[in-house]
Amino acid sequence: GSTMLIMMEMSRNDMAANSGATGPMMLNFFRLTTILMVPILTQFDAALLCYWTANNTLTMAQTATLKYKPVMDALGIWEKPKPVPGVSDHEAPSITDEIAKLMKRVQGQVTDEQQRLQLHNRSVETKKKSLQMMNAAKQQEQQEQQQQQQQARGRTGRTRHRGPSS
């Protein structure tokens, strides 16, 4: 199980790049499958375990060797082509990055740029609403003051008018 997981981590960028948008999700699925297979594989014969371990170790060595630039040049292996415009070519997250992101998500912390933008937009909207409410409250208060002033003027005008006629 561990050699299979190490092999996947060694080639995670190639796996994610070849699968487009679903690459990271597929990578996480394969990681989970590898971990879940360990209890099942304990029931298999030891000879099969030895075969898989040896095979995975040789495959890891081959993968590491073929990624080495002088070996690629000596064997005539092309470099990875440039990404198509509009397609992201970022590295796939490692298993430790994924676990850290999961822990942050469980704790309610922001884990990616999209969540950061959503939180920012929510805070801007909240500020807008609070400013609108404050402005509406000020306008209502001003209207009430104007009505009170008009009522006070009306009362003083009546008393002045009544005073001289008596």
Side-chain angles (χ1 to χ4, degrees), residues 43-104:
Q43 304 303 315
F44 286 29
D45 290 334
L48 192 56
L49 175 67
C50 291
Y51 165 75
W52 276 337
T53 304
N55 187 33
N56 287 346
T57 304
L58 290 174
T59 303
M60 284 188 292
Q62 179 186 17
T63 302
T65 303
L66 292 178
K67 285 187 175 186
Y68 190 56
K69 179 80 171 120
V71 173
M72 290 175 68
D73 292 341
L75 296 176
I77 299 173
W78 298 344
E79 288 190 35
K80 187 171 136 181
K82 301 286 183 210
V84 177
V87 177
S88 67
D89 188 37
H90 63 281
E91 283 193 11
S94 68
I95 191 165
T96 54
D97 294 338
E98 288 293 324
I99 291 171
K101 188 191 292 186
L102 179 63
M103 294 301 291
K104 284 182 179 180

Side-chain angles (χ1 to χ4, degrees), residues 76-159:
I77 299 173
W78 298 344
E79 288 190 35
K80 187 171 136 181
K82 301 286 183 210
V84 177
V87 177
S88 67
D89 188 37
H90 63 281
E91 283 193 11
S94 68
I95 191 165
T96 54
D97 294 338
E98 288 293 324
I99 291 171
K101 188 191 292 186
L102 179 63
M103 294 301 291
K104 284 182 179 180
R105 220 180 277 157
V106 167
Q107 294 171 354
Q109 296 176 2
V110 177
T111 57
D112 61 5
E113 192 62 29
Q114 185 178 6
Q115 284 182 334
R116 237 182 227 106
L117 287 173
Q118 287 174 346
L119 285 175
H120 173 73
N121 290 343
R122 279 189 211 137
S123 69
V124 168
E125 288 298 319
T126 303
K127 287 178 184 178
K128 281 183 183 178
K129 286 179 183 178
S130 64
L131 283 174
Q132 288 172 350
M133 290 173 64
M134 286 174 55
N135 289 336
K138 283 180 184 178
Q139 287 177 351
Q140 185 177 1
E141 185 179 327
Q142 288 173 352
Q143 288 174 352
E144 288 174 1
Q145 287 177 354
Q146 288 174 354
Q147 287 175 354
Q148 289 173 356
Q149 288 173 355
Q150 288 174 354
Q151 288 174 354
R153 285 183 199 148
R155 287 183 204 143
T156 55
R158 286 185 205 147
T159 54

Side-chain angles (χ1 to χ4, degrees), residues 9-73:
E9 291 302 312
M10 285 178 65
S11 62
R12 71 177 185 267
N13 292 330
D14 298 330
M15 192 182 295
N18 292 335
S19 303
T22 60
M25 185 172 55
M26 286 178 51
L27 189 59
N28 287 335
F29 173 76
F30 288 135
R31 287 172 177 157
L32 181 66
T33 304
T34 302
I35 293 168
L36 292 177
M37 288 298 291
V38 171
I40 296 169
L41 296 176
T42 58
Q43 304 303 315
F44 286 29
D45 290 334
L48 192 56
L49 175 67
C50 291
Y51 165 75
W52 276 337
T53 304
N55 187 33
N56 287 346
T57 304
L58 290 174
T59 303
M60 284 188 292
Q62 179 186 17
T63 302
T65 303
L66 292 178
K67 285 187 175 186
Y68 190 56
K69 179 80 171 120
V71 173
M72 290 175 68
D73 292 341

